[in-house]
Amino acid sequence: MSATVADLVAGLREVVGSAGLVTDADQMAGYLTDWRGAYRGAAAVVVRPGSTEEVAEVIRRCAAAGVAVVPQGGNTGLCGGSIPDTSGRQVVLSLTRLRRVRDLDPADQTITVEAGVVLRAVQEAAAAAGLLFPLSLGSEGSCTIGGNLATNAGGTAVLRYGTMRDLTLGLEVVLPDGRVWHGLRGLRKDNTGYDLKQLFLGSEGTLGIVTAAVLKLFPAVRTRATAWVGLPGPQAAVDLIGVVRELAGDRLTAFEVMSRQSLELVLAHASGVRDPLAGPHPWYALVELSDTLPMAPLDEVLETALGAAFEREMVTDAVVGSGSAQVAALWALREGISEAQEPEGPSLKHDVTVPIGSIPAFVAQTDGALEAALAGVRIVSYGHVGDGNLHYNLSKPVGADDDAFRSRGAELSRVVYDSTASFGGSISAEHGLGRAKRDLIADYKDPLDIELMRGLKQLFDPAGLMNPGAVLPEPP
Ligand code: FAD
Ligand code: 2HG
Ligand code: ZN
């Protein structure tokens, strides 16, 4: 450790105390790699402040020492954005001790929480007050509100309630020079110039450290209906959304899809699961309606919609979940895909959006191009089709060598991203750019977008110390 870094670590100990510093190599390990082991870094120290004031002082000291800071929440991100580089000079700033629910206002229907509060704890606090916080992700038991804000997280209820951008009314942020920006207001209307909070949403820790947020709450859901549906292909999925929406309106809360290949991985690797339908189908949808009325006839509405779709040959088989255990079992099939892909060896993740109507053509084109590039590649495509968002993940062909597959990674990713771009889509729908995709945006975003983004970065963080490896490509 150089003298400057050693001095900084000693100074940080004065700010957060020994309990707020992690220096032991074994204890640091969990902060230096992501859950897939896809990214590994090193750090001078992991610092865990316990208040906004401590975060501000940590940032001031790192800025004075010229040391870069990598913010980290639950470390569930899928693009390596919370992992430091390998220099061992960066500081990991974990927000997990900022875990207070500061306020819940039933009249305003808002909750004010600190950045380190785990998403599920926010959902539970809302539920205890008879309200709903609708953000819902497979990682909700570990990811934090700070990470959700910094990645503009999406998940399975975006169709009805929007992404984190739509759910946020105010923020408190420690700026790269250590000043605190007090934007922690719960106003539904505020047209006093630029909406600064939106700049921090989705900025992946590159413009400042989010320490707290005011989030929107909604009336609690009292009735749900959930169906698992067999489909002949992606066109049927897109058509079925239209049929269900026509009847159910905005009661349509989730519309998730997955290919047979995705389901097969879950059936092979998850415990206690079974295929809900008698035979195999090329694609599946998980459809959920919800209502605030206790006696809303949602099963009936869903069955009517599915019956109409069956007659038009959009649906080949379906089961409507009865009782919470069966509904949970259906959701487990959907939420189990990420984990079920891991035992199959190295995987390539692509989190893309295209206009919803283009999904069938996009899938046909991309599947064809991938098969031509690597015969037998396993396409694990699934996701939030109601938002035009597919996780177009790849696993190696059965029996193929891991390293041989890894060596084709960049080329195969190009196939997916070029196809996405040809439909006017985005190469990052909900997971962010992190380290994984920051250089790629130079090829897939308008140069003017990148110039404006660089200008904002320069304004907020002229020394370039806030998560320098994420979001923006290396300057040419
Ligand atoms: P981290 O992984 O710790 O950090 C993510 C990024 O945010 C990093 O760049 C980090 O530097 C920055 N950051 C973290 N905290 C702060 C802060 N307080 N201030 C400033 N910057 C900060 N994502 C979805 O959008 N939809 C899904 O459906 C979804 N499902 C998932 C399912 C599984 C099984 C897994 C493992 C992940 C899933 N994710 C999903 C991805 C991930 O959970 C989200 O990106 C989540 O929002 C990250 O939160 P986190 O607290 O773990 O953040
Ligand atoms: C999901 O929707 C997540 O399940 C994770 O966004 C996707 O692991 C993935 O690729
Ligand atoms: Zn997702």
Side-chain angles (χ1 to χ4, degrees):
M1 203 183 283
S2 73
T4 336
V5 174
D7 289 348
L8 173 64
V9 172
L12 294 179
R13 195 181 299 279
E14 284 167 22
V15 180
V16 298
S18 292
L21 275 195
V22 185
T23 48
D24 173 76
D26 285 347
Q27 286 172 8
M28 270 165 90
Y31 297 88
L32 303 180
T33 186
D34 66 324
W35 71 284
R36 291 199 301 149
Y39 302 89
R40 284 176 204 282
V45 67
V46 176
V47 57
R48 302 178 65 235
S51 66
T52 301
E53 296 67 35
E54 285 186 8
V55 174
E57 188 55 27
V58 165
I59 291 296
R60 278 193 284 273
R61 293 194 183 218
C62 290
V67 168
V69 175
V70 178
Q72 188 179 95
N75 200 12
T76 67
L78 296 168
C79 302
S82 58
I83 304 300
D85 68 14
T86 52
S87 68
R89 277 190 54 83
Q90 299 186 327
V91 167
V92 172
L93 174 59
S94 167
L95 280 303
T96 50
R97 284 181 65 217
L98 265 66
R99 51 173 176 241
R100 270 191 319 134
V101 174
R102 290 190 192 168
D103 186 38
L104 190 150
D105 185 331
D108 269 344
Q109 303 228 314
T110 58
I111 187 166
T112 305
V113 296
E114 294 185 341
V117 179
V118 168
L119 172 55
R120 184 170 290 151
V122 179
Q123 296 166 341
E124 286 169 358
L131 292 165
L132 171 76
F133 182 62
L135 190 79
S136 179
L137 318 179
S139 53
E140 64 199 22
S142 338
C143 65
T144 62
I145 287 299
N148 301 153
L149 293 158
T151 56
N152 181 29
T156 53
V158 170
L159 196 56
R160 170 104 173 246
Y161 298 100
T163 66
M164 207 54 182
R165 264 187 213 293
D166 305 296
L167 300 174
T168 305
L169 292 169
L171 291 182
E172 177 186 88
V173 181
V174 173
L175 299 175
D177 61 7
R179 284 180 297 169
V180 180
W181 178 66
H182 296 284
L184 207 55
R185 286 179 295 273
L187 302 176
R188 305 264 167 175
K189 289 185 164 181
D190 177 12
N191 284 349
T192 53
Y194 306 133
D195 188 354
L196 295 175
K197 70 173 179 298
Q198 290 295 346
L199 293 175
F200 298 103
L201 284 153
S203 70
E204 302 181 47
T206 59
L207 300 180
I209 312 293
V210 178
T211 48
V214 184
L215 306 172
K216 286 184 195 168
L217 299 177
F218 294 81
V221 160
R222 297 209 165 73
T223 324
R224 271 180 215 283
T226 310
W228 180 265
V229 185
L231 303 167
Q235 183 65 56
V238 171
D239 294 342
L240 181 60
I241 297 175
V243 172
V244 177
R245 227 185 212 148
E246 204 176 315
L247 268 183
D250 69 1
R251 288 173 195 81
L252 175 59
T253 313
F255 197 109
E256 299 287 306
V257 289
M258 69 226 68
S259 61
R260 175 72 195 174
Q261 173 72 81
S262 311
L263 178 63
E264 273 173 9
L265 294 185
V266 179
L267 295 174
H269 297 297
S271 55
V273 290
R274 63 172 194 89
D275 190 338
L277 302 179
H281 301 261
W283 276 58
Y284 299 89
L286 181 58
V287 186
E288 190 155 285
L289 309 184
S290 66
D291 203 308
T292 54
L293 288 173
M295 303 298 283
L298 294 187
D299 279 350
E300 215 175 284
V301 172
L302 194 51
E303 277 160 18
T304 306
L306 291 174
F310 191 78
E311 278 180 11
R312 290 158 66 183
E313 297 181 356
M314 288 173 201
V315 165
T316 38
D317 197 1
V319 57
V320 175
S322 85
S324 56
Q326 197 184 359
V327 168
L330 297 179
W331 273 104
L333 295 172
R334 161 62 184 91
E335 297 295 16
I337 303 171
S338 260
E339 226 168 293
Q341 209 184 349
E342 291 309 300
E344 296 289 328
S347 57
L348 298 172
K349 287 191 181 289
H350 307 105
D351 158 43
V352 301
T353 5
V354 293
I356 298 174
S358 306
I359 282 181
F362 167 72
V363 170
Q365 174 175 302
T366 316
D367 281 7
L370 285 167
E371 181 60 28
L374 179 62
V377 64
R378 285 177 292 167
I379 301 167
V380 184
S381 47
Y382 62 100
H384 321 286
V385 75
D387 314 322
N389 175 191
L390 286 182
H391 300 307
Y392 221 91
N393 296 349
L394 307 180
S395 284
K396 65 175 186 174
V398 174
D401 178 67
D402 284 3
D403 287 337
F405 180 66
R406 281 194 195 97
S407 73
R408 303 285 305 275
E411 179 201 338
L412 294 169
S413 292
R414 278 274 167 205
V415 170
V416 177
Y417 293 143
D418 286 352
S419 184
T420 304
S422 76
F423 286 92
S426 163
I427 65 162
S428 176
E430 62 175 10
H431 299 156
L433 296 167
R435 279 160 230 301
K437 283 179 271 182
R438 69 169 189 148
D439 288 328
L440 284 171
I441 58 163
D443 297 336
Y444 295 103
K445 250 177 125 66
D446 187 325
L448 182 57
D449 283 356
I450 297 179
E451 185 186 319
L452 293 172
M453 281 165 59
R454 279 199 203 287
L456 285 170
K457 175 75 173 170
Q458 178 65 24
L459 175 70
F460 280 85
D461 181 25
L465 296 178
M466 288 287 117
N467 210 1
V471 178
L472 281 166
E474 287 284 4

